[in-house]
Amino acid sequence: MLLLSWCLTLNTMWQMIQLHECVPGTRFDRYIDLGRHAFGPKLGPWIVLPQQLIVQVGCDIVYMVTGGKCLKKFMEIACTNCTPIKQSYWILMFGAIHFFLSQLPNFNSVAGVSLAAAVMSLCYSTISWSACLARGRVDNVSYAYKKTTTSDLMFRVFNALGDISFAFAGHAVVLEIQATIPSTPQKPSKVSMWKGALGAYFINAICYFPVALIGYWTFGRDVPDNVLLALEKPAWLIASANLMVFVHVVGSYQVYAMPVFDLIEKMMIKRLNFRTGLSLRLVARTSYVAFTLFIGVTFPFFGDLLGFFGGFGFAPTSYFLPSIMWLIIKKPKRFSINWFINWASIYIGVCIMLASTVGGLRNIATDASTYSFYT
């Protein structure tokens, strides 16, 4: 499923990049703009905007949880004699950083943070799988299914599909990123953007696949949601990896938040008569960061959140909405290879969306019933 998803979403990423300038002289700089062109001015925003917002807000909530947990793990390893602090406080500390970073005006402003995040992701992924390989298999490792009821097993399989789809979330911001690249008839932006996307997907593969395979080989069915939290030695290396994850999600949070900031600010200017400037940014962006922080502190279920948001938002934006728009705009020949690939992507994407949304929501409800909030 991981390999199939990698191939399908690479194809839909290529489609999004090609559709950015599918009308001569026009650039569809946002997902919603392309949605309007494909589905019409009235229907387009209702189809595309909710899904895109789910992806962006969902990512930021998960990053809140991840950043707080990894910061907590780093401090526990680095300072064994320090007084333990509640996980909720660590998530609050992570959120406090974004109250400041959110005031950066646009995508270009967070380029340095984003680059650092990309480098960190490659580094901590390499540390994760190499530390697992060096550790070797745990005692009495088991690769059998967990002993549970048939219904629980089914729901957790559904949730796992959402976890996988969460790994391919770039489609929700690809057009906004491509909009920052200069484009001329001689050198359209899609050339540079596709080279960048190929590089990103290559790095994606060398990050995800070894961690998934070697992490499972090491811990078997008891592998935790975040494999770094299960590794202890060498202490300095695992502490460094957790700090790298922290840096990564700091940058990634801003990348997914920027389009949401833009949407909120435009709505406040139009409906509440706000003027552009610092006061608008303070109100709009601080409110958004506070919202994602509250949800992250209240529901810090990393794996369940991945599954739910992965199915509910990521499957549509990454798997089948690009294929539907490609069929509408490009109209490939019926029963051609291109036509079959698009319909296969649509069918698989819809199945993942339905299954993982149900699985993730059910698992959140199950875990919340036995969880002590704000601990």
Side-chain angles (χ1 to χ4, degrees):
M1 281 304 301
L2 193 59
L3 181 60
L4 177 63
S5 294
W6 189 88
C7 294
L8 287 176
T9 56
L10 179 60
N11 175 61
T12 53
M13 177 68 77
W14 177 81
Q15 291 175 331
M16 292 289 290
I17 292 168
Q18 297 300 311
L19 292 174
H20 178 72
E21 295 177 280
C22 60
V23 176
T26 301
R27 298 185 71 176
F28 298 111
D29 291 340
R30 296 183 297 164
Y31 212 129
I32 191 173
D33 297 334
L34 185 59
R36 285 194 186 101
H37 176 66
F39 301 111
K42 292 184 178 180
L43 188 60
W46 287 101
I47 293 175
V48 171
L49 187 59
Q51 301 297 337
Q52 189 180 19
L53 281 175
I54 289 167
V55 170
Q56 291 161 347
V57 177
C59 266
D60 285 339
I61 291 170
V62 171
Y63 290 150
M64 278 287 182
V65 176
T66 309
K69 285 187 173 183
C70 287
L71 192 57
K72 178 176 183 285
K73 182 69 174 180
F74 168 76
M75 286 304 298
E76 286 175 351
I77 297 173
C79 185
T80 54
N81 298 322
C82 294
T83 304
I85 302 176
K86 290 181 179 180
Q87 178 177 278
S88 299
Y89 292 160
W90 290 110
I91 298 175
L92 287 170
M93 290 178 203
F94 180 81
I97 295 170
H98 291 287
F99 284 114
F100 295 98
L101 287 180
S102 63
Q103 301 309 311
L104 294 172
N106 53 42
F107 263 120
N108 290 329
S109 303
V110 298
V113 179
S114 181
L115 176 61
V119 173
M120 291 299 104
S121 65
L122 181 59
C123 292
Y124 73 70
S125 297
T126 304
I127 291 172
S128 297
W129 66 258
S130 58
C132 286
L133 198 62
R135 188 198 188 287
R137 291 190 290 183
V138 299
D139 296 334
N140 301 317
V141 65
S142 174
Y143 304 109
Y145 289 119
K146 290 185 177 181
K147 293 180 181 179
T148 183
T149 62
T150 303
S151 60
D152 183 67
L153 176 64
M154 178 184 69
F155 282 120
R156 298 215 174 264
V157 169
F158 287 171
N159 190 66
L161 294 174
D163 288 357
I164 291 173
S165 60
F166 196 98
F168 307 100
H171 300 64
V173 292
V174 64
L175 295 181
E176 284 85 349
I177 294 172
Q178 191 170 350
T180 66
I181 299 175
S183 184
T184 64
Q186 294 75 27
K187 190 178 180 182
S189 63
K190 63 184 180 182
V191 177
S192 300
M193 189 65 191
W194 177 236
K195 290 179 181 178
L198 278 177
Y201 258 71
F202 173 74
I203 294 172
N204 177 294
I206 62 176
C207 286
Y208 282 125
F209 284 83
V211 172
L213 297 172
I214 299 173
Y216 183 66
W217 172 79
T218 301
F219 294 101
R221 69 183 188 184
D222 295 320
V223 63
D225 293 333
N226 184 345
V227 72
L228 281 174
L229 301 183
L231 294 166
E232 301 290 344
K233 296 178 181 180
W236 67 270
L237 189 63
I238 304 306
S240 300
N242 277 280
L243 190 60
M244 289 172 184
V245 175
F246 170 77
V247 174
H248 171 215
V249 293
V250 165
S252 297
Y253 182 99
Q254 291 300 315
V255 169
Y256 283 96
M258 279 295 172
V260 184
F261 293 157
D262 180 59
L263 181 69
I264 295 172
E265 288 169 4
K266 285 183 177 178
M267 184 186 70
M268 291 177 70
I269 291 169
K270 184 177 180 181
R271 298 190 178 182
L272 303 177
N273 297 319
F274 268 78
R275 293 182 179 179
T276 56
L278 181 60
S279 59
L280 173 65
R281 290 211 304 269
L282 278 172
V283 174
R285 301 183 180 200
T286 301
S287 300
Y288 174 75
V289 173
F291 169 74
T292 56
L293 177 58
F294 171 74
I295 300 298
V297 170
T298 307
F299 301 103
F301 312 125
F302 178 71
D304 299 340
L305 287 172
L306 285 184
F308 176 71
F309 286 121
F312 199 49
F314 291 57
T317 54
S318 299
Y319 287 79
F320 63 85
L321 272 180
S323 292
I324 292 173
M325 291 190 289
W326 184 267
L327 289 171
I328 293 172
I329 296 170
K330 292 296 186 178
K331 297 179 174 59
K333 187 178 179 181
R334 203 171 185 183
F335 303 119
S336 64
I337 294 175
N338 190 319
W339 187 87
F340 275 116
I341 290 173
N342 280 286
W343 276 107
S345 188
I346 293 168
Y347 177 77
I348 293 169
V350 169
C351 289
I352 290 174
M353 180 188 72
L354 296 175
S356 55
T357 300
V358 172
L361 192 60
R362 181 263 185 187
N363 289 347
I364 290 173
T366 301
D367 291 344
S369 65
T370 58
Y371 177 73
S372 297
F373 288 92
Y374 308 113
T375 55

